[in-house]
């Protein structure tokens, strides 16, 4: 383990050097402690009683890789404990026994997030899989010290304390759901408040639902108004839209605000910046609580993948897109009906395509100029989203056609005069990444299957500028913690 970590606390064994890996001799008392630990490890070999370790890489360099066992993260009294391991490219010398070297180490660390201190309770060092050194102490006798900046201990401490904060948010969200059973924190798949990933789903959902989403080709202002403005009505700063007389009087008293409201009909219950930005989504509305408390949120950085020999996706994308609209902070393409895909032997219908500039996802720490998100649903409301990255390069004729068709004003829907199919917006190579995540805008519903295409489409710089100007402000949600999720390729 790193030389700058606080490893062993004071105990009845011979004196140790504070702040380094020190020599540890097993006295009778600590032999019993070691024996109990060994028995616990043996017990955990039985899959019925213990969960297998889920090692998550939290930092990787040319010299080593730092990992934490997600299953071991537990709150214990005022501390967070976690098992950590480090793999080294070059052999490391044991500070207390220079004749011993190791290339792999595991340690049990305890963190005091309130005081920003850490202590090591157990440590094991291996050389080519063979145990060459072990030591341990008890929590009661451990010395907690502040870890060195940028050390493996500090990096793990930051991760563990962030995990603790999210656990508290989840507990608060659960308490909120219990106190407000009528307004669950996670919106059902059929409940579609105005949101980038859930509004423009006209054809399939409007007839069956009491509160249908706004159709992309609906030109009736009175019919569209309830769906797009309902979330805003939950905001205590906005009056009930049904109280027309009161709203009219207030508009007359504040003409400037009324003019601004008429000039911008976008849903103001959430935004991509400011007081209603992504960091605040979970507190804006009880239905959005999972945005802050969820454990499988999107977007993420696609990295540390697992090779799974994924089969090419079966797609039927020959039917033309119907309409184009600027609404809910995004550019929305109504897919009409007929386009579909098959995933895990289940059919999903393409509902709409939303455009985000710049990209929401990253692939191996790389961001892209824009991202197309093709949102599919099955009959039960389960979602699959195919994401296609746009990268600066040569001009794209399909994108140019779409740019020429964009309505001049927001909330307007315009029919596409030229035939464009979803297949025209897909890369030639079928390779992709796959993971389980969420919608990237409120209500941030989880359980979404994401398909991230590896090959990006090219788009000219001028086309990108036009796209950004049409959308307005950047409409991307910040990256979310992957939480050790499996990313297949």
């Amino acid at each position: 383990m790193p030389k700058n970590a606080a490893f062993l606390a004071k105990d009845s064994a011979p004196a140790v050097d504070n702040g380094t890996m020190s020599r540890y001799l097993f006295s009778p008392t600590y032999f019993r402690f070691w024996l109990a630990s060994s028995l616990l490890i043996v017990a955990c070999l039985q899959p019925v009683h213990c969960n297998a370790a889920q090692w998550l890489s939290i930092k990787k360099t040319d010299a080593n890789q730092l990992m934490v066992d997600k299953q071991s993260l537990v709150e214990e009294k005022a501390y967070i404990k976690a098992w950590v391991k480090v793999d080294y490219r070059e052999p490391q010398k044991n500070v207390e026994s220079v004749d011993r070297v190791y290339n792999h180490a595991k340690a049990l660390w305890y963190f005091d997030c309130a005081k920003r201190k850490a202590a090591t309770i157990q440590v094991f060092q291996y050389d080519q899989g063979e145990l060459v050194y072990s030591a341990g102490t008890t929590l009661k006798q451990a010395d907690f010290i502040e870890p060195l900046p940028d050390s493996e201990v500090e990096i793990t401490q930051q991760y563990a304390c962030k995990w603790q904060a999210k656990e508290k948010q989840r507990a608060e969200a659960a308490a909120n759901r219990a106190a407000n059973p009528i307004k669950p924190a996670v919106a059902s798949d059929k409940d579609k408040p105005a949101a980038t990933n859930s509004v423009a789903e006209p054809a399939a959902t409007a007839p069956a639902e009491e509160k249908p989403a706004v159709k992309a080709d609906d030109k009736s202002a009175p019919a569209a108004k309830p769906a797009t403005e309902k979330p805003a009505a939950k905001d205590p700063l906005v009056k009930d839209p049904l109280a027309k007389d009161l709203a009219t009087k207030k508009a007359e008293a504040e003409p400037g605000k009324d003019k601004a409201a008429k000039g911008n009909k976008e849903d103001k219950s959430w935004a991509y910046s400011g007081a209603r930005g992504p960091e605040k989504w979970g507190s804006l509305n009880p239905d959005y609580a999972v945005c802050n408390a969820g454990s499988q949120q999107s977007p993420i950085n696609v990295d540390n993948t697992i090779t799974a020999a994924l089969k090419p996706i079966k797609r039927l994308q020959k039917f033309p897109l119907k309409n184009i609209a600027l609404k809910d902070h995004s550019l929305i393409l109504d897919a009409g009906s007929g386009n579909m895909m098959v995933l895990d032997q289940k059919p999903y219908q393409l509902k709409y395509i939303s455009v985000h500039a710049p990209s929401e996802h990253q692939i191996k720490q790389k961001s892209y100029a824009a991202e197309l998100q093709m949102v599919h649903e099955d009959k039960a409301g389960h979602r699959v989203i195919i994401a296609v990255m746009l990268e600066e390069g040569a001009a794209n004729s399909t994108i140019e056609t779409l740019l020429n068709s964009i309505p001049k004003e927001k909330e307007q829907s315009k029919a596409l005069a030229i035939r464009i199919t979803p297949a025209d917006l897909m890369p030639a190579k079928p390779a992709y990444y796959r993971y389980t995540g969420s919608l990237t805008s409120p209500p941030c519903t989880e359980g979404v299957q994401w398909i991230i295409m590896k090959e990006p489409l090219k788009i000219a710089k001028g086309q990108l500028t036009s796209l950004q100007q049409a959308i307005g402000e950047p409409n991307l949600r910040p990256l979310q913690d992957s939480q050790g999720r499996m990313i297949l390729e």
Side-chain angles (χ1 to χ4, degrees):
M1 297 298 290
K3 299 178 181 179
N4 52 16
F7 279 101
L8 300 180
K10 296 177 181 178
D11 49 61
S12 59
V16 299
D17 294 330
N18 191 20
T20 62
M21 175 170 289
S22 303
R23 179 167 49 94
Y24 183 87
L25 300 178
F26 284 104
S27 62
T29 299
Y30 287 104
F31 177 78
R32 289 192 294 270
F33 173 75
W34 172 83
L35 180 60
S37 300
S38 301
L39 292 175
L40 178 62
I41 294 173
V42 172
C44 285
L45 294 177
Q46 303 298 324
V48 177
H49 302 292
C50 298
N51 294 325
Q54 291 186 8
W55 292 107
L56 171 67
S57 176
I58 58 178
K59 185 175 182 180
K60 186 175 183 180
T61 67
D62 293 337
N64 58 55
Q65 182 176 19
L66 173 65
M67 289 164 280
V68 62
D69 175 19
K70 183 181 175 182
Q71 292 287 354
S72 70
L73 281 166
V74 175
E75 287 189 273
E76 187 172 302
K77 297 181 180 179
Y79 309 111
I80 303 295
K81 72 174 183 178
W83 274 99
V84 180
K85 71 176 179 179
V86 184
D87 290 329
Y88 297 93
R89 286 183 175 272
E90 301 295 333
Q92 306 292 305
K93 290 184 178 180
N94 183 296
V95 177
E96 297 301 321
S97 303
V98 293
D99 58 326
R100 295 177 181 173
V101 297
Y102 61 97
N103 58 10
H104 174 82
K106 292 182 181 178
L108 177 61
W109 285 343
Y110 274 67
F111 303 100
D112 187 334
C113 295
K115 297 180 180 179
R116 299 180 61 83
K117 292 185 177 181
T120 299
I121 306 302
Q122 296 183 54
V123 61
F124 300 87
Q125 296 174 350
Y126 302 84
D127 181 25
Q128 303 301 326
E130 181 181 353
L131 181 66
V132 296
Y133 179 85
S134 64
T137 185
T138 64
L139 180 60
K140 185 177 181 180
Q141 294 176 309
D143 283 337
F144 282 80
I145 68 172
E146 184 174 348
L148 292 176
D150 300 324
S151 66
E152 282 85 354
V153 181
E154 186 191 50
I155 293 170
T156 309
Q157 183 181 60
Q158 291 174 353
Y159 179 87
C161 294
K162 185 176 180 181
W163 170 87
Q164 182 186 43
K166 289 207 170 191
E167 287 298 302
K168 290 181 178 179
Q169 288 181 339
R170 293 191 189 97
E172 292 173 358
N176 183 60
R177 289 194 293 271
N180 302 276
I182 299 178
K183 297 179 179 180
V186 181
S188 68
D189 289 337
K190 294 183 178 180
D191 181 14
K192 301 181 185 300
T196 301
N197 286 338
S198 58
V199 225
E201 302 171 0
T205 60
E209 297 180 11
E210 295 181 3
K211 298 178 182 179
V214 180
K215 292 185 179 182
D217 56 352
D218 190 353
K219 299 182 180 179
S220 173
K225 187 174 181 180
T228 56
E229 294 186 1
K230 178 177 175 58
K234 296 180 182 180
D235 183 357
L237 300 178
V238 180
K239 297 297 182 181
D240 185 347
L242 298 178
K244 296 181 179 179
D245 294 337
L246 183 59
T248 302
K249 291 179 180 180
K250 184 173 181 180
E252 293 174 353
E254 301 175 321
K257 292 184 179 180
D258 179 64
K259 183 177 180 181
K262 290 182 178 180
N264 188 353
K265 297 180 182 179
E266 279 194 359
D267 171 26
K268 291 300 181 183
S269 66
W270 60 273
Y272 281 103
S273 61
R276 298 180 179 279
E279 297 299 324
K280 301 294 184 180
W281 287 351
S283 59
L284 294 176
N285 186 322
D287 291 341
Y288 302 168
V290 73
C291 294
N292 287 357
S295 61
Q296 292 188 329
Q297 290 293 292
S298 298
I300 65 172
N301 171 47
V302 178
D303 203 352
N304 295 323
T305 58
I306 298 174
T307 303
L310 298 175
K311 297 180 179 179
I313 299 173
K314 296 179 180 179
R315 297 178 284 111
L316 177 62
Q317 298 179 327
K318 64 180 183 179
F319 295 96
L321 300 173
K322 297 296 183 182
N323 305 299
I324 184 171
L326 287 169
K327 58 174 61 179
D328 309 303
H329 316 285
S330 185
L331 178 63
I332 302 291
L333 303 174
D334 175 16
S337 60
N339 296 297
M340 62 176 294
M341 65 168 290
V342 177
L343 183 67
D344 299 333
Q345 300 182 344
K346 294 181 181 180
Y348 294 83
Q349 295 290 328
L350 176 61
K351 297 298 183 179
Y352 64 93
I353 302 174
S354 63
V355 185
H356 298 263
S359 69
E360 293 198 294
H361 286 86
Q362 291 183 4
I363 299 179
K364 301 187 184 302
Q365 288 79 45
K366 179 180 178 180
S367 295
Y368 290 82
E371 179 178 337
L372 306 179
Q373 296 179 1
M374 302 182 178
V375 183
H376 300 72
E377 284 189 6
D378 66 6
K379 293 181 179 180
H382 302 124
R383 296 182 178 93
V384 175
I385 303 179
I386 297 178
V388 180
M389 304 299 157
L390 301 183
E391 184 177 55
E392 283 192 30
N396 187 299
S397 58
T398 302
I399 297 297
E400 187 66 27
T401 301
L402 291 176
L403 291 173
N404 294 333
S405 303
I406 295 177
K408 294 183 179 180
E409 296 184 11
K410 294 183 182 296
E411 300 304 317
Q412 287 187 349
S413 179
K414 184 178 179 181
L416 289 170
I418 300 178
R419 178 186 173 89
I420 296 177
T421 69
D424 296 327
L425 297 171
M426 289 291 292
K429 297 180 180 179
Y432 62 92
Y433 303 100
R434 177 180 176 178
Y435 81 98
T436 301
S438 72
L439 299 179
T440 60
S441 62
C444 307
T445 308
E446 296 188 335
V448 176
Q449 295 298 316
W450 279 92
I451 305 296
I452 313 293
M453 304 306 297
K454 291 185 178 182
E455 182 185 19
L457 294 180
K458 300 296 183 181
I459 179 173
K461 185 175 182 179
Q463 292 176 326
L464 173 61
T465 301
S466 298
L467 187 62
Q468 292 172 333
Q469 290 175 346
I471 295 174
E473 68 172 346
N475 60 340
L476 79 161
R477 185 188 190 188
L479 291 176
Q480 304 298 298
D481 194 334
S482 64
Q483 294 285 313
R485 279 172 281 176
M486 289 192 301
I487 305 175
L488 306 179
E489 68 170 317

